[in-house]
Amino acid sequence: MGKARDWLGPELAIYLTTAVAVLSVATGLVNVGAQSISGPLEPFIPAVIQRTAGFTGALTGFLMLGSVAGLRRRLRAAWLSTIVLLPVTAFQGLVQTNVASTPLIALSVLSLPAVLVSYRRFDRGIDLSTAQLAALLALIGTMAYGTVGTYALRDEFGGVDTLTDALYYTVVTASTVGYGDVIPTTKDGPRLFALSVVVLGTASFALALGSLIGPMIQARFAKALGTMTRSQLDRLEDHVLVLGYGDLTEPILEELQTTVEFIVVTPDDTAATALGKRDINAIVGDPSDDEPLQRAGIDRARAVLVATNDDAQDALAILTASQLNPDARIVAAATDRENIEKLRRAGADSVISPAVLGGHLLVQSAMGGEGMEAIADRILDVKEEDDI
């Protein structure tokens, strides 16, 4: 049932948008050198728009891929950009004529309602760090400064007649590519301006690259330490939270690995690292605190398994989980029999004591009870309530 909701919800929107992005890139590359396009709307569309559609399709596709990355993080800004870009890709498909145009149009039209229906699922704001925000503002500011300044001094530059020419000069200068096809033709003022674009451009590009490479390095460290990145956490949906890790939880994890996606919340760094090496999702944090549970996506979790090996800690974790997601089913593993009822009162929907249950079966078997092993095997074979 959970997988069906994924396919009918945000996952469907993400997959369709990805397909549109790939087709848009492919269509644009096919027409990148076309001088004119003879699509079905050719008689009604100015020639300049037809030519533009031929070489901007790939750019639109790459922008769409950026939106897909944001959709995977459930960003509202990515949802808005996708809503804007889908009609653009459909229009570009109508204007262009090649083997990829028809699927591009169809997928663009099909994707739009899927994205619109999933509006509520993309509710996260853009969480930029100070360094990332500074890099973005520096890059935009430098591009604006260089473009406006070059256009204002266009009479002093050879080959600059339009704002596009000015932007081209700014990008190739700031990125230190320097093709040399556009240069200042007079001394002093324009050359000093060109030097300022070089200095500001290299600095802003360096900041931008640092802000992009930084999260990638963080992601690799997160993987090595057994923790999860923000984007991975944001993608969790209809999963199970396991609060705590120890000898009691090990068989729980083995059972969950074959049935459902889950994430372990443990305060033990060493345990999280060991779980990460086994490809088990884990984050470091106190299972009774709000922050790690919210990072683990408890608001989107289907169930919570509480097994910290400490009944007092279990009770606190149950209280926190029940407050953050009252709809999630909470199951607790009690260490002592006398604490079973207390954990129920704390908010657990079901409380089972593996130690008490196992001890009872062992004692009964030792005292001559027949069929204890068969009972244990039958319990292990239970998949659904009807199997009991």
Side-chain angles (χ1 to χ4, degrees):
M1 188 68 179
K3 292 183 178 180
R5 283 200 300 269
D6 286 343
W7 276 101
L8 295 175
E11 290 299 320
L12 176 62
I14 292 172
Y15 291 139
L16 287 175
T17 304
T18 303
V20 171
V22 172
L23 279 174
S24 183
V25 171
T27 306
L29 290 177
V30 169
N31 287 321
V32 70
Q35 295 299 315
S36 63
I37 304 296
S38 56
L41 300 182
E42 188 265 338
F44 311 102
I45 298 177
V48 63
I49 295 180
Q50 295 179 34
R51 290 193 297 269
T52 302
F55 66 81
T56 58
L59 176 60
T60 306
F62 284 118
L63 291 175
M64 186 73 80
L65 287 175
S67 294
V68 170
L71 290 177
R72 291 184 180 279
R73 295 187 58 188
R74 302 293 194 268
L75 296 180
R76 177 56 56 83
W79 181 88
L80 290 171
S81 66
T82 303
I83 293 299
V84 172
L85 288 174
L86 283 174
V88 174
T89 57
F91 176 76
Q92 288 177 331
L94 283 173
V95 174
Q96 301 173 79
T97 300
N98 56 62
V99 293
S101 294
T102 302
L104 176 61
I105 299 168
L107 275 175
S108 298
V109 174
L110 182 63
S111 300
L112 190 57
V115 176
L116 288 171
V117 168
S118 303
Y119 168 78
R120 297 183 181 276
R121 308 300 289 275
F122 301 101
D123 56 356
R124 295 182 180 274
I126 298 178
D127 187 15
L128 293 177
S129 66
T130 303
Q132 290 173 325
L133 184 60
L136 181 62
L137 292 176
L139 188 59
I140 294 175
T142 299
M143 292 298 102
Y145 165 75
T147 302
V148 173
T150 303
Y151 185 73
L153 298 170
R154 60 188 179 278
D155 293 336
E156 310 295 332
F157 284 84
V160 176
D161 298 312
T162 66
L163 280 174
T164 303
D165 296 332
L167 177 61
Y168 170 80
Y169 170 77
T170 302
V171 172
V172 297
T173 303
S175 61
T176 68
V177 172
Y179 292 122
D181 51 346
V182 180
I183 58 173
T185 57
T186 59
K187 297 180 179 180
D188 299 334
R191 291 190 175 182
L192 290 174
F193 171 75
L195 286 174
S196 69
V197 173
V198 172
V199 173
L200 293 174
T202 52
S204 61
F205 270 100
L207 282 173
L209 287 174
S211 66
L212 292 174
I213 294 174
M216 293 172 61
I217 296 175
Q218 181 185 17
R220 294 190 66 87
F221 272 113
K223 184 177 181 181
L225 295 174
T227 57
M228 298 182 69
T229 64
R230 176 66 180 270
S231 60
Q232 289 173 319
L233 291 170
D234 289 341
R235 289 196 62 192
L236 288 173
E237 187 87 22
D238 204 32
H239 56 294
V240 174
L241 263 65
V242 179
L243 306 186
Y245 176 73
D247 295 336
L248 181 61
T249 53
E250 190 58 39
I252 295 174
L253 302 186
E254 293 178 1
E255 184 76 17
L256 287 173
Q257 278 186 301
T258 61
T259 55
V260 69
E261 188 174 16
F262 66 95
I263 179 171
V264 179
V265 180
T266 173
D268 189 343
D269 293 351
T270 304
T273 302
L275 290 171
K277 292 179 180 178
R278 294 163 52 191
D279 293 328
I280 294 177
N281 298 329
I283 63 173
V284 178
D286 189 337
S288 60
D289 287 346
D290 291 7
E291 192 272 335
L293 268 61
Q294 290 172 337
R295 278 198 292 136
I298 189 172
D299 57 317
R300 305 183 303 277
R302 63 187 296 183
V304 179
L305 279 169
V306 185
T308 65
N309 294 327
D310 182 341
D311 289 344
Q313 185 73 12
D314 284 351
L316 292 175
I318 291 169
L319 287 170
T320 303
S322 60
Q323 290 175 354
L324 295 177
N325 187 355
D327 297 328
R329 180 171 177 78
I330 302 176
V331 180
T335 304
D336 299 320
R337 183 195 295 268
E338 60 267 22
N339 291 328
I340 292 178
E341 191 57 37
K342 295 178 183 177
L343 293 178
R344 285 200 181 96
R345 289 200 298 269
D349 297 297
S350 178
V351 181
I352 297 174
S353 177
V356 173
L357 181 60
H360 178 74
L361 291 176
L362 286 171
V363 170
Q364 292 300 316
S365 181
M367 298 302 293
E370 298 293 336
M372 293 298 109
E373 187 175 354
I375 292 175
D377 290 339
R378 185 174 178 182
I379 292 174
L380 292 174
D381 289 336
V382 170
K383 302 296 183 183
E384 299 179 358
E385 188 175 348
D386 294 338
D387 296 335
I388 300 177

